[in-house]
Every structure is written in C-alpha cells, then in structure tokens.
Amino acid sequence: MPDRFLHASHIVLDSREAAQELASKINRSKKVEKEFAKVARKKSLCASAKKNGGDLGWIRESRTPAEVSKAVWSQEPKKVGKPVETGRGFHIFLIHE
C-alpha cells in the first residue's frame, strides 16, 4: 500500500483543557487557517510552530507517531481536531488538504 501524505499544522499546549478551548475558539472563526497560525505563533509550546504558525508541511503517514496518525488521518480538513496527547504535550491539528 502506498504511503499517504497530508498538509498539516499543529499547536502544542500543556493541558487538554487549554487545547480543547483553543480548538473550539479557532473553529468558530470565519478564517480558521489564518486564526490557527496566529494562535500558534502566540501560544504554542513548540518553538518552530511559534516561528512558522504551526505549519508542519506535508507529513507522511508511515513516519507519523501512531497516536497522531490515528487522529489526523480521520480528521475533517479545514477544522481543528480534538487534542492528541504525546510526550511533548497536547497537540491540536489543522489539516489543510
């Protein structure tokens, strides 16, 4: 089976509650992608997300951690999904395409 790719952005936070609150706030925005990048620059615990608005570029399914893969490949594009816990914190993802 060929590998799948998708374009994603993320924000890393220190609590599930903060991640859920931000996801809801961003999803209510009329310009979800623009709002997501703005919030990533201000609030993400990930240094690269602060610089690039959370943009991960095109990610490959086979190189994505299982907990992240399960979430992002089932997520609706152009919406912020539910928080995903990893060893680095609580991630919220936006799938661009």
Side-chain angles (χ1 to χ4, degrees):
M1 182 158 101
D3 219 354
R4 296 188 297 174
F5 295 83
L6 55 76
H7 184 197
S9 291
H10 78 142
I11 298 172
V12 183
L13 299 158
D14 60 2
S15 75
R16 182 175 303 279
E17 294 76 22
Q20 288 172 326
E21 184 179 311
L22 274 180
S24 293
K25 177 185 173 196
I26 295 167
N27 279 329
R28 288 191 302 270
S29 172
K30 292 184 185 213
K31 297 181 178 179
V32 172
E33 290 178 298
K34 188 174 183 177
E35 182 68 16
F36 191 95
K38 181 176 137 185
V39 171
R41 285 185 180 96
K42 289 182 178 180
K43 299 196 176 217
S44 186
L45 299 176
C46 175
S48 64
K50 284 187 166 288
K51 291 179 186 175
N52 66 14
D55 192 353
L56 294 169
W58 289 89
I59 61 174
R60 179 186 295 222
E61 185 175 23
S62 65
R63 295 190 179 202
T64 305
E67 66 273 17
V68 172
S69 184
K70 182 178 178 185
V72 299
W73 264 271
S74 64
Q75 186 174 316
E76 181 181 347
K78 310 289 186 189
K79 295 282 185 187
V80 182
K82 294 179 181 178
V84 177
E85 185 176 7
T86 71
R88 296 180 61 214
F90 293 88
H91 301 251
I92 52 175
F93 292 92
L94 172 68
I95 307 307
H96 297 279
E97 304 178 24

